[in-house]
Each structure stands twice: as structure tokens, then as C-alpha cells.
Amino acid sequence: MRSLLRFLVRNFAFLLFLLLEVVSLVMVFNYNSFQRSRFLNSANFISASFYNTTSSVFQYFELARVNEELANENAYLRSMLDGGTLEEISSHDSIVITHELPDSRFVFRAARIINNSANKQQNYITLDKGLDHGIQADQGILAPEGVVGVVTSVSKSYASGLSLLNPRWSISAKLKNSGYYGSLRWNGQNYRQADLQEIPIHVNLATGDTVVTSGYSSIFPEGLLIGTILSFDKPQGENYYNIKVKLAVDFKSIRYVHVIENVKKEELKALENKVINGAGNY
Amino acid sequence: MGREIIKYAIMFTVLVLTQVLFLNQVQISGFVNPYIYILFIMLLPVNAPRYVLLLGGFFIGLSIDIFSNSLGIHAFASVFIAFLRPPIIRAITNREEDMADYPGLAQNGLGWFLYYTAIMVLLHHVALFFIEVFTFVDILRTLYRIVLSSLFSIFVIVLSQFIVFRD
């Protein structure tokens, strides 16, 4: 017992070192549960309000470009007006547009990006809107140019989420021409490119083909732009293409985004669960 | 003693804020990201107890992690170099010379400080980038990122000694 105590005292620093490293590694491996926690990520009040302050200073330098983007988006939306219905309801300081699609109902809320990165292996986004503005986990993030990411954690007035530049998330994507779908995942290398997987080799492809969201997840509506095919090849002995997609969004320059809420998500989930659970009875 | 604690507390805050608000926004070619917050671990007094080094390293790493959504990654790398700091200092310092208690540039000269910074930064970046990608696949790309970011970090850290931490 005495010698055990003496051992512990003598190697106190080494044991503390081991303990702290193990704690760190546990945090690295359990990123999912911490990512959803309220305090240990950039959606917490302290870090988010720091980011909010600095970004509200730096945004002035980008106003010209942002204005141009908004004008382009307005022109695009105006051209779409003929087809669908568009109603404006102002709540807080964001404009809510209800966009009627044949199968489901989506609400768009405007938000500003207050922290973002493109040079890490796992990139995250922090937004200046949170629970108070109707934003919840598992809502999609969309820039004027295309899909950006998904919200994973929300506090009272801030939200943070996974960017498309994060290999821990993949998005269900399809080819606009042929309708074949696969999953799109960033490979951690070039911030302008991602890999589209699971497209069978009998499909005809061409570089420049448009890749859009499939609408098979409850996060994004169908047909939102993701990018265009940059290059593709058929690996020996495999049934699927290797496709490199040039992302539509330049993650180093996005500033304003829309957060998409699927109002009928609960209904959809309930129905899908019913089918899965009921399948055994037949 | 009280003054020392206040000095290091201010240093901690300034370094964390500089790191997350400015240096993390520096994005050159998608590879380079300088990390200067390890200056906190480097500049703790030479004869500080080892548990102070380890806990200091852990908490500054954890603060950076919380801001950048990378829980555990920076904490791991900081604790790693905090543990290795005493043997590193012993290895690069001449026994005959009297070592100042504050391991800064002005106290020990440019040559010594450059050597010290290079070793600490390299070890930190190796631990950090390998934990971040968590694979030895494509090891050359990871090494390339380590070398580029290290050069930039070393440059910024040494520069900061001329501008801010002159004492």
C-alpha cells in the first residue's frame, strides 16, 4: 500500500498526462453527442456572441458583393413567381416564405453566417439565428448558389451546424438529367470539390451535368442545386462511378443563407416508422 | 505571485481571442492555418509544476476546441506538448548558463527561442493534424499541411515576441 502510494505520488504528472489525454480522446470519439450539446460548441452564448460582434464589423467590407448576390437571387425568384405561390409573413427580422411544393411544405428563414471555415478536415458553420427565430436541429442551410449544410445544434439565439465540407455528413444527391441518385460526401481535400458515390456504371454521364438534392431526406426539398460534374471515371471491377463534383457554393465567400424547415417532417417520419415497423406483419 | 496569475490570465484570454477571431479566419490555399495559442504553454515559468503545465495546456486547448467545434483535438495536442515541455527545455539549454525563469525571446536570445518554438510547434502540429484526419492514408498530404502550417506558426510566434510580449 505504501509503495503504491509512493508510486502514485512520484508519477503524478505522468498519470495526470494520461488522464487528460484520455479525456481529450473520449471527446474526439464522442463528437456526435457533444456536437448536439448546448454548451461545448460554437452555438453557446459566449463564443457565438464574440463571433457575432466581429462578423458584424467585417461584413461591411463585403456589402458590395452581397448586394450583387441578393439582386441576382431576387431576379431568379422573380422568374420563378409565375409557377408557385409566394407569400410573405414577417416575423422577427426575418422574412418567411412558404414555398408550396407538390409533396411537402417548406419554410425558409434568412440568417447570417457569423463563423465559417473551409480549411479544416471538419468544417462547421455558426449562424446568428436560433430557437427564438424558429430554427431547430436537422434543418437544412441553403445559400443563393446552392446547398451549404445542416443545423445540428441550437441555442436561444444562435445555431451551429455541419458544413457540406465535413466528411461526417453526406447528402442524398441525384443527377438532374437521368434522376439516378447517390450520396455526396466531401473528401477533405479541395474545398471546391466533393465526391458523388453510388451512381451505377450503366448511367450515361457527361462533364458539366447538374447535381441536385434528391428530396429523399426530410431536410432538403427536391431539386436544389449542389454542383456540376467536374470529372468521372469507372474504376476496374467496380459497379459504381467515381465522380468528382464541382460545388456550386464557394464556401470562402458565403455570408447570407436560408434555413429550411420542413413543416411536415414529423408526419413524414411517423408514417415512415409505421411502414418499417409494420412490415413484419405481412 | 498574484501579479503572475493575472498576467497569465490576460495572456490566456488574448491568445484564445486572437486565435479564434483572427488567425482561424486566415485561409490561405486551404492548407495553412497558424496556431499561436501554444505560446501560452511555451511562456509559462520554467520551474512551474508539471500539473500547472498540463492543466494550463488542457484548458487552453479546450477553449479553442469549443470555439472551433473540434472538441478534444486541440486539447489533446496541447496536453501532449505541455507534457514534453520540461525535457525539451532541458535538452536545448546549456547547463552552464543560468536559465531565466521566463522562457521568452528577450531572456534567452533569438537562436534559443527559434529552436524552442520550432520543436514545440512541430510536435504540436504533428499531434493536431494526425488526430484531426485520424488516418495514415494520404500521409504525404497531411505532412505537407503540417510543414506549411508549422512554418507559418513559427513565423507568427517569433514575430509576436518582437511586437507584443517584449517585457
Side-chain angles (χ1 to χ4, degrees):
Chain A
M1 193 66 205
R2 277 272 286 281
S3 58
L4 177 68
L5 271 178
R6 206 177 314 136
F7 172 80
L8 286 178
V9 170
R10 193 172 330 127
N11 295 297
F12 172 65
F14 183 67
L15 293 172
L16 182 64
F17 165 70
L18 284 184
L19 177 77
L20 292 176
E21 293 294 54
V22 168
V23 169
S24 306
L25 285 178
V26 166
M27 290 195 288
V28 174
F29 294 135
N30 293 315
Y31 61 89
N32 262 332
S33 47
F34 288 108
Q35 181 58 33
R36 296 199 174 259
S37 78
R38 186 73 67 81
F39 302 105
L40 291 173
N41 59 53
S42 66
N44 80 47
F45 176 72
I46 300 176
S47 45
S49 52
F50 271 119
Y51 281 137
N52 197 19
T53 318
T54 48
S55 112
S56 61
V57 174
F58 284 115
Q59 64 169 320
Y60 286 106
F61 302 115
E62 298 175 348
L63 282 184
R65 190 181 51 72
V66 170
N67 266 339
E68 194 181 324
E69 267 177 31
L70 290 177
N72 286 339
E73 197 191 5
N74 271 342
Y76 173 69
L77 289 175
R78 215 173 271 275
S79 69
M80 277 174 49
L81 257 180
D82 314 328
T85 58
L86 203 71
E87 53 180 285
E88 289 184 356
I89 311 156
S90 64
S91 79
H92 303 285
D93 54 343
S94 57
I95 297 171
V96 176
I97 300 167
T98 56
H99 182 52
E100 287 288 352
L101 287 171
D103 55 344
S104 55
R105 191 159 176 274
F106 292 93
V107 176
F108 293 70
R109 294 186 175 86
R112 185 162 56 91
I113 292 181
I114 57 174
N115 186 42
N116 181 25
S117 65
N119 61 346
K120 305 268 167 55
Q121 285 300 300
Q122 283 96 31
N123 295 293
Y124 295 88
I125 286 179
T126 314
L127 305 175
D128 72 335
K129 298 274 162 62
L131 280 177
D132 281 359
H133 311 91
I135 290 175
Q136 279 162 9
D138 292 330
Q139 296 182 350
I141 307 173
L142 182 72
E145 298 88 6
V147 171
V148 170
V150 62
V151 176
T152 51
S153 169
V154 236
S155 65
K156 210 161 115 45
S157 39
Y158 299 102
S160 81
L162 299 164
S163 145
L164 196 56
L165 302 183
N166 194 321
R168 288 171 179 174
W169 183 53
S170 69
I171 179 172
S172 171
K174 71 171 183 185
L175 299 165
K176 199 177 177 187
N177 290 343
S178 54
Y180 280 93
Y181 68 96
S183 68
L184 183 110
R185 186 186 289 271
W186 190 50
N187 53 18
Q189 294 176 10
N190 187 330
Y191 78 100
R192 295 308 310 268
Q193 291 172 20
D195 291 338
L196 180 59
Q197 296 147 345
E198 297 159 29
I199 299 289
I201 49 171
H202 61 80
V203 181
N204 285 325
L205 295 179
T207 53
D209 278 0
T210 313
V211 180
V212 295
T213 52
S214 70
Y216 292 161
S217 76
S218 55
I219 298 175
F220 290 106
E222 188 185 341
L224 298 176
L225 184 63
I226 297 172
T228 51
I229 294 182
L230 190 68
S231 65
F232 58 89
D233 61 80
K234 293 179 187 175
Q236 282 288 319
E238 286 197 35
N239 293 325
Y240 299 106
Y241 278 112
N242 272 337
I243 306 176
K244 288 238 177 292
V245 175
K246 185 176 195 303
L247 296 173
V249 177
D250 182 347
F251 280 84
K252 287 195 180 177
S253 74
I254 42 175
R255 186 54 75 178
Y256 288 92
V257 290
H258 289 125
V259 179
I260 309 172
E261 180 186 358
N262 183 346
V263 183
K264 296 195 174 152
K265 185 191 220 158
E266 294 305 318
E267 191 184 326
L268 188 70
K269 281 263 148 77
L271 181 66
E272 281 176 355
N273 281 337
K274 209 162 124 191
V275 173
I276 292 164
N277 296 336
N281 298 337
Y282 300 105
Chain B
M1 181 66 191
R3 260 194 70 206
E4 288 282 284
I5 290 174
I6 292 170
K7 185 177 118 189
Y8 281 107
I10 294 173
M11 195 195 283
F12 186 100
T13 320
V14 169
L15 283 173
V16 169
L17 291 184
T18 322
Q19 182 66 52
V20 297
L21 297 184
F22 297 104
L23 292 173
N24 279 3
Q25 319 296 328
V26 174
Q27 301 184 347
I28 305 165
S29 77
F31 275 114
V32 176
N33 196 349
Y35 293 103
I36 65 147
Y37 69 91
I38 63 165
L39 249 182
F40 179 76
I41 304 163
M42 289 171 56
L43 291 181
L44 283 168
V46 172
N47 47 25
R50 297 193 86 166
Y51 70 89
V52 171
L53 280 175
L54 290 169
L55 290 175
F58 182 72
F59 283 113
I60 198 158
L62 193 65
S63 311
I64 302 288
D65 279 331
I66 289 174
F67 272 97
S68 45
N69 287 309
S70 55
L71 213 61
I73 293 173
H74 288 281
F76 182 90
S78 314
V79 171
F80 180 65
I81 56 161
F83 182 71
L84 293 178
R85 198 190 87 150
I88 290 171
I89 290 189
R90 242 176 286 136
I92 63 172
T93 311
N94 260 331
R95 267 153 215 272
E96 287 96 80
E97 291 171 25
D98 266 338
M99 174 83 191
D101 192 35
Y102 181 77
L105 187 145
Q107 288 74 13
N108 298 288
L110 179 63
W112 182 89
F113 192 78
L114 202 59
Y115 204 21
Y116 178 45
T117 311
I119 294 174
M120 294 286 277
V121 165
L122 263 177
L123 287 172
H124 173 264
H125 284 30
V126 166
L128 182 76
F129 283 92
F130 275 109
I131 286 285
E132 193 187 18
V133 295
F134 217 79
T135 167
F136 287 109
V137 179
D138 216 355
I139 192 165
L140 280 178
R141 230 182 68 85
T142 311
L143 288 177
Y144 179 54
R145 296 181 65 211
I146 291 173
V147 170
L148 266 186
S149 288
S150 295
L151 287 175
F152 208 40
S153 301
I154 294 169
F155 176 72
V156 177
I157 288 178
V158 173
L159 194 71
S160 75
Q161 292 296 295
F162 283 108
I163 302 168
V164 190
F165 299 94
R166 275 181 301 189
D167 264 48

